[in-house]
């Protein structure tokens, strides 16, 4: 049974909210064995890009291939995941999900400075207004590990980084022997039951379709 001695943290949020700055600042202070994984870069390095979206001017990541590539790293622990998407990562390997939020006026200015196309700027603003990433995080992970932090200024980033450093240090104190990378047996059993129910439902639907075609 594998265990990790350091926590894995996801730093997520709408593009322009300061994910990379937070992660780079945090890993520079926590030092080794912590590593900053900018998923946009990792996906390119590990050839996990499946296509390119011309309309949104962005690469489309092969999520299954990406997760297969990252699983070994996450099992070792100490990974700071920096990406606008958080819900694809298995809960058993994640210890904290940080959702950064930014006021729309500030976000608008940041995205414009990046040279984003108008439709891409608007889509990201809509995402922030509708709290899409925050809701995804809350639906994908237990409430206790999801936190929301404001990221409108350098001062707020410094405060956030100090808070996350304290959290990481406390995590180590609370888990002197690390934590398991394995899925909780009860959760695993429940997942198997759901999978079996889904398969049974699919089989039933296929049988009904065959009967109707006959």
């Amino acid at each position: 049974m594998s265990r990790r001695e350091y926590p894995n943290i996801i730093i997520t949020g709408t593009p322009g909210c300061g994910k990379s700055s937070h992660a780079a600042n945090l890993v520079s202070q926590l030092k080794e064995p912590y590593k900053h994984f900018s998923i946009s870069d990792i996906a390119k390095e590990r050839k996990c890009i499946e296509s390119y979206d011309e309309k949104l001017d962005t690469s489309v990541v092969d999520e299954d291939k990406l997760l297969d590539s990252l699983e070994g790293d996450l099992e070792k622990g100490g990974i700071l995941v920096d990406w606008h998407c958080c819900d694809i990562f298995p809960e058993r390997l994640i210890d904290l999900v940080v959702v950064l939020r930014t006021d729309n006026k500030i976000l608008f200015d940041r995205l414009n400075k990046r040279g984003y196309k108008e439709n891409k700027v608007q889509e990201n603003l809509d995402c922030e207004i509708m709290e899409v990433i925050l809701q995804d995080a809350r639906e994908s992970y237990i409430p206790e590990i999801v936190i929301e932090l404001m990221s409108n200024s350098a001062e707020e980033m410094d405060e956030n980084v100090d808070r996350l450093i304290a959290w990481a240090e406390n995590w180590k104190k609370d888990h002197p022997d690390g934590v398991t990378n394995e899925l909780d047996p009860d959760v695993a059993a429940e997942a198997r039951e759901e999978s079996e129910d889904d398969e049974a439902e699919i089989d039933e639907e296929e049988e009904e379709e065959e009967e109707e075609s006959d």
Side-chain angles (χ1 to χ4, degrees):
M1 180 181 293
S2 67
R3 302 180 69 82
R4 60 181 181 278
E5 296 182 4
Y6 294 86
N8 292 317
I9 303 171
I10 294 177
I11 299 180
T12 188
T14 307
C17 68
K19 299 182 296 296
S20 296
S21 297
H22 274 74
N25 197 336
L26 185 57
V27 79
S28 71
Q29 296 191 54
L30 286 172
K31 298 184 171 49
E32 291 188 9
Y34 288 95
K35 296 178 181 179
H36 173 195
F37 273 26
S38 172
I39 298 302
S40 297
D41 295 334
I42 293 288
K44 293 174 184 175
E45 291 169 7
R46 301 187 181 185
K47 304 187 186 309
C48 298
I49 303 297
E50 63 179 15
S51 62
Y52 190 81
D53 188 325
E54 295 286 350
K55 182 180 178 182
L56 293 177
D57 189 26
T58 187
S59 299
V60 178
V61 174
D62 182 333
E63 295 179 354
D64 290 335
K65 188 175 181 180
L66 175 69
L67 287 176
D68 287 342
S69 168
L70 290 175
E71 187 165 359
D73 297 294
L74 292 172
E75 287 181 345
K76 292 176 183 177
I79 302 299
L80 305 183
V81 175
D82 156 18
W83 206 27
H84 62 270
C85 176
C86 67
D87 57 349
I88 70 168
F89 300 96
E91 188 173 8
R92 66 185 177 84
L93 296 176
I94 302 301
D95 303 288
L96 184 68
V97 181
V98 181
V99 182
L100 298 178
R101 305 296 310 282
T102 302
D103 291 341
N104 277 356
K105 176 62 172 66
I106 295 173
L107 186 61
F108 177 83
D109 291 341
R110 290 178 182 175
L111 297 179
N112 269 336
K113 286 181 180 178
R114 290 186 179 187
Y116 278 21
K117 294 180 179 178
E118 184 178 344
N119 65 321
K120 189 173 182 179
V121 170
Q122 190 57 55
E123 177 165 305
N124 284 317
L125 290 176
D126 291 342
C127 178
E128 184 69 9
I129 292 169
M130 300 298 292
E131 300 185 345
V132 172
I133 296 176
L134 179 61
Q135 291 304 318
D136 285 347
R138 288 174 172 170
E139 291 171 3
S140 304
Y141 303 94
I142 59 173
E144 290 79 8
I145 73 167
V146 177
I147 63 172
E148 178 184 4
L149 299 176
M150 294 306 298
S151 175
N152 291 313
S153 65
E155 290 76 14
E156 286 184 341
M157 182 181 72
D158 290 341
E159 292 173 2
N160 294 340
V161 168
D162 288 343
R163 178 175 175 179
L164 294 175
I165 289 172
W167 178 90
E169 292 173 347
N170 286 331
W171 189 95
K172 280 289 293 175
K173 291 177 183 177
D174 293 340
H175 305 87
D177 299 320
V179 296
T180 179
N181 286 315
E182 310 305 321
L183 191 63
D184 181 277
D186 293 335
V187 175
E190 185 177 339
R192 283 196 299 271
E193 288 178 8
E194 289 180 358
S195 177
E196 290 170 0
D197 289 342
D198 289 342
E199 290 177 3
E201 188 175 331
I202 291 172
D203 291 340
E204 196 173 308
E205 289 176 355
E206 290 177 348
E207 289 177 4
E208 290 177 356
E209 288 176 1
E210 288 177 3
E211 290 176 359
E212 288 176 2
S213 62
D214 292 341

